[in-house]
Amino acid sequence: MEFNVIEKDYGICINNPNHFLAFSDFTVSDGIDIIENVNIVKSGDEYGQTAKRAETFNGSEGSYIAQATDSLDYFTNTYDDVTVFTFMANDVCIEDFTDCLKVANSHKGFANAEIQISHVVYVDKVISPKNLLKLFKIITKVKSKKLANMALPLHIQYILNSNDFLAVLSNLPESDESSLDINNAEYDIIDFDDLEVRISDAVEISLEDAFEKLNLTFGILDYLVSEGILIGDLVEAGMELIDDVEVTLKLNEKLESQILKSLCDVNVIALISAAIRLQQDFTDNRIRELDASNQMYFDEVFGLAISNQIAGTKAILNFKRYIEAKPGIIWGLPPILDDAFAGLIAGCVSKILEE
């Protein structure tokens, strides 16, 4: 069955003159509906304003569902009888921080920023309301699982899909619409397991495509931000234990430059990333055998490896001083991260002092 996509500056309409059976969580008319138009309109997430925009779009003709959005940016992927419309609204951009480091930022600030990746999924089949609801639940679960598996920085997770939307559409049985009983109508015999797999794959691909189209990638600085660790805090902690050398603004700048340089080293990045992930596993009790009551040395391994990677044996000796004193931000970090960042600071301080 063919459908039409109508684009205007204030909205997008997916139109089917033969009507869709729809299940959605839309602003206007959520739940199960027989509709002619699916309207995505630019408006505040408020019923009256969204309905008014949708009525203008439809010329007060045709049944519809409508969803408010801040952005009309979208793309479509079609796989045989499945078409996925992916709508994207994003307040985050990736900016250069140094020649080799980038960081995610938002003009709104992360307290107010949003990343919304929403979907309208059309299946060119006659599907029962029960199975349409099942597909809605499947897609919701697939999106949640896929995004969780991406292990994005925490401050990005907090603003991701807090207000996304979803509609699942299918064809109506051939019947006089005025007398159609959707609960007792005849529906296509489908291999539901196969359809579930195909739709799940299509939605996962659409999420990957959305991040690529939005140019949303995240690096080591983003993961430091997610842990509340700023470069200035690391510089301040590093300066606290410098002996026999005058602490000047120039020395501060030199240490900052060395920290940023070290954070471009893929080996340092890998070790810090591993420490952050292990800390999360440890904090959330994800691994049964990691018990805080046991004597552990693995946390020191990260610090020793990082300091040695940056400045060799001398840095390893310096690491002992930093992890024992825990200056500045190191004092407030959890037990695995304090070693990792003590190692980073010790290595960078050793490096600038030997030059």
Side-chain angles (χ1 to χ4, degrees):
M1 179 179 294
E2 293 187 1
F3 54 83
N4 306 307
V5 178
I6 305 165
E7 298 183 1
K8 296 187 178 180
D9 59 355
Y10 59 85
I12 294 168
C13 176
I14 304 169
N15 166 263
N16 179 0
N18 294 315
H19 293 80
F20 296 114
L21 181 64
F23 192 95
S24 76
D25 57 8
F26 276 21
T27 307
V28 176
S29 197
D30 60 342
I32 194 80
D33 283 288
I34 296 175
I35 48 106
E36 183 176 343
N37 298 313
V38 179
N39 296 128
I40 313 297
V41 296
K42 290 190 79 169
S43 70
D45 192 16
E46 186 266 324
Y47 183 93
Q49 185 183 18
T50 305
K52 187 175 181 179
R53 279 281 174 94
E55 288 174 5
T56 301
F57 211 150
N58 298 317
S60 299
E61 296 179 3
S63 54
Y64 66 88
I65 56 176
Q67 172 63 39
T69 184
D70 293 329
S71 170
L72 297 177
D73 191 11
Y74 82 100
F75 63 91
T76 52
N77 293 334
T78 299
Y79 310 92
D80 297 324
D81 56 353
V82 175
T83 299
V84 179
F85 295 82
T86 304
F87 292 85
M88 304 173 293
N90 173 44
D91 298 321
V92 176
C93 63
I94 308 302
E95 300 176 347
D96 289 334
F97 195 82
T98 68
D99 289 341
C100 68
L101 292 171
K102 298 179 182 292
V103 68
N105 205 353
S106 174
H107 69 281
K108 289 186 176 181
F110 283 102
N112 299 310
E114 294 182 350
I115 303 171
Q116 311 293 351
I117 303 176
S118 304
H119 292 91
V120 175
V121 179
Y122 167 60
V123 184
D124 190 9
K125 297 283 187 183
V126 179
I127 299 177
S128 69
K130 180 180 178 180
N131 282 336
L132 206 63
L133 174 57
K134 285 175 67 177
L135 289 177
F136 185 95
K137 291 179 178 179
I138 287 166
I139 294 168
T140 301
K141 183 177 180 180
V142 166
K143 288 181 65 175
S144 177
K145 184 176 180 181
K146 176 66 175 179
L147 294 173
N149 287 342
M150 293 175 73
L152 300 172
L154 291 177
H155 62 298
I156 300 299
Q157 292 183 40
Y158 293 152
I159 66 171
L160 177 61
N161 277 10
S162 58
N163 193 32
D164 60 319
F165 57 84
L166 172 61
V168 186
L169 316 173
S170 68
N171 300 332
L172 280 178
E174 293 185 4
S175 174
D176 178 5
E177 183 193 347
S178 62
S179 62
L180 177 62
D181 180 353
I182 61 173
N183 292 315
N184 296 307
E186 291 187 9
Y187 297 95
D188 290 346
I189 298 174
I190 58 175
D191 183 342
F192 194 84
D193 290 339
D194 172 70
L195 181 60
E196 177 181 349
V197 170
R198 292 192 294 111
I199 286 181
S200 297
D201 289 345
V203 170
E204 288 192 14
I205 292 170
S206 77
L207 290 170
E208 294 168 358
D209 288 349
F211 274 86
E212 183 175 346
K213 290 177 184 295
L214 293 171
N215 192 30
L216 286 178
T217 58
F218 302 100
I220 190 63
L221 291 185
D222 300 307
Y223 286 93
L224 263 61
V225 170
S226 73
E227 299 296 329
I229 299 170
L230 304 179
I231 300 299
D233 295 331
L234 297 175
V235 173
E236 184 179 327
M239 287 295 166
E240 285 195 28
L241 297 188
I242 290 181
D243 298 325
D244 303 324
V245 177
E246 183 182 0
V247 176
T248 63
L249 177 60
K250 184 177 180 180
L251 193 62
N252 270 267
E253 292 173 347
K254 196 173 181 181
L255 179 56
E256 179 177 340
S257 178
Q258 181 58 53
I259 290 172
L260 292 171
K261 181 179 178 180
S262 297
L263 289 174
C264 294
D265 183 330
V266 293
N267 297 292
V268 173
I269 292 171
L271 288 164
I272 290 176
S273 299
I276 290 173
R277 178 55 190 266
L278 183 58
Q279 183 66 64
Q280 293 170 350
D281 289 342
F282 187 79
T283 301
D284 296 338
N285 298 313
R286 294 172 183 165
I287 301 176
R288 185 188 312 111
E289 289 79 9
L290 290 181
D291 188 340
S293 64
N294 295 329
Q295 191 172 20
M296 297 178 292
Y297 303 101
F298 61 80
D299 50 350
E300 290 188 13
V301 172
F302 287 110
L304 290 168
I306 292 169
S307 58
N308 182 64
Q309 173 65 23
I310 296 170
T313 305
K314 185 177 180 179
I316 291 177
L317 298 174
N318 215 11
F319 165 69
K320 293 293 185 181
R321 295 178 62 236
Y322 276 91
I323 197 56
E324 288 173 3
K326 297 184 186 296
I329 191 174
I330 303 302
W331 179 265
L333 293 177
I336 299 171
L337 294 187
D338 62 354
D339 285 84
F341 285 97
L344 175 67
I345 293 170
C348 291
V349 169
S350 299
K351 191 73 173 178
I352 66 171
L353 292 181
E354 71 181 21
E355 294 176 351

